[in-house]
Amino acid sequence: MKKYFFLTALTIFVLVSCKTALYERETKDKTIYKAVVIDTLFEDNISIRAIAVDQNKIWYAANKSRFGFYDLKKNVKLEKNIGKDSLNLEFRSNAQTTNAVFLLNVANPALLYKVCKIDFTTTLVYQENHEKVFYDSMKFWNDKEGIAMGDPITDFLSIIITRDGGNSWSKISSNKLPKIADGEAAFAASNTNIVLKGTNTWIVSGGKKARVFYSPDKGSTWEVYDTPIVQGKAMAGIFTADFYNSKIGFIAGGDYESLNQNFGNKATTYDGGKNWELISENKGFGYASCVQYVPHSNGNSLVSVGASGLYYSYNGGYSWEQLAADKDLFTIRFVDKRTAIAAGKNKMIRIKFLK
């Protein structure tokens, strides 16, 4: 009888604890945004899929061999062009260190440039020529170490790493990487295929398989995890990812050929990416090109941009509200908890979130 009572009490305690934890997760961060105010920073005939926040400057990488920054204090734009023979480069990845900005184009040849932030001195630091070459995303762990990833040329993702501040890059040997599935690749949608937290690195894929490649040691060793995101088609899978910390993460995407499909396109993890749960099925947004956690939100608040517009969640992605209907935003980054910069087709905007 005592044993039975103990087990019953323990069961009740566990159930109450789980419900309490869920309640605390849904209500802990009481900062709930209900509207936005948007102002346009600039408009142009341009496509921007990669931005990086550098204090008051928002660096962007764009099509037609262009890059530059917008100064939020001075309200001015400075734009440069990198000419490479007659090539019309499309930069969809950028990253930064304290003193330099890095730009990486898609397609063949892959050209990675290091640009001095002070005088815009530009140096080609990596080049790769192959008919299948296509790089999707780039990030830096610190001022010395950075990583870029791209579609497979053989049976492995293309991953290059620098350990000297971006002056030289080398490709990870295939014997150190998990093998990809036939038809598995990635999407250069918003420079969010790679997520870095401390020494942790996550890379997301799509196509015939939608998976998460994980390294705990800045790219030295790798393992791969399955996800329930829609997959099996060339234009389906994970298009974007973000992690709030080393455990809490979110992936999104969907089917680019069915932009309104809002099931099988959102999933969350609480164990660093080993296991993923589909959430908000048949609710919220459809195809998404970029998802980001709101800073200082305890992992509760997220935003998403894509074909359905700007969406916001205050409870870890379990429910979503549309705050703007703009379908031409490809990428978004937060400047602070209440301010984000977004860019996409022909513009860059500033978004103020209101309670």
Side-chain angles (χ1 to χ4, degrees), residues 42 46 48 50-51 58-61 67-69 77 79 94 348:
F42 68 84
I46 196 169
I48 302 174
I51 58 176
I58 309 300
W59 291 91
Y60 63 88
F67 76 97
F69 67 77
K77 179 183 75 166
E79 185 171 283
N94 71 349
M348 179 182 289

Side-chain angles (χ1 to χ4, degrees), residues 201-262:
T201 305
W202 298 268
I203 291 176
V204 296
S205 69
K208 294 298 179 68
K209 281 282 188 179
R211 300 193 292 175
V212 174
F213 295 75
Y214 170 70
S215 171
D217 48 18
K218 296 181 183 177
S220 295
T221 61
W222 293 87
E223 49 194 305
V224 62
Y225 307 123
D226 292 328
T227 80
I229 291 289
V230 60
Q231 52 200 278
K233 298 169 59 179
M235 296 304 295
I238 309 168
F239 283 74
T240 177
D242 196 20
F243 273 75
Y244 186 78
N245 54 33
S246 63
K247 297 298 183 182
I248 302 173
F250 199 90
I251 53 177
D255 186 346
Y256 193 74
E257 296 175 330
S258 182
L259 297 177
N260 294 322
Q261 179 178 313
N262 63 353

Side-chain angles (χ1 to χ4, degrees), residues 22 36 99 114 172 223 299-300 317 328:
L22 178 60
V36 294
N99 299 315
K114 179 179 181 179
I172 295 180
E223 49 194 305
N300 289 326
D328 292 328

Side-chain angles (χ1 to χ4, degrees), residues 175-192:
N175 60 17
K176 294 184 177 180
L177 293 170
K179 191 174 182 179
I180 59 137
D182 182 39
E184 183 178 13
F187 303 107
S190 60
N191 197 32
T192 51

Side-chain angles (χ1 to χ4, degrees), residues 32-48:
I32 299 176
Y33 298 129
K34 298 181 179 179
V36 294
V37 173
I38 296 173
D39 63 296
T40 301
L41 300 179
F42 68 84
E43 293 180 298
D44 196 357
N45 181 18
I46 196 169
S47 176
I48 302 174

Side-chain angles (χ1 to χ4, degrees), residues 19-30 32 300 314-316 318:
K19 289 182 179 179
T20 301
L22 178 60
Y23 175 80
E24 288 177 348
R25 172 161 183 80
E26 292 180 343
T27 61
K28 187 175 182 180
D29 180 22
K30 297 300 291 185
I32 299 176
N300 289 326
Y314 68 88
N315 57 4
Y318 286 90

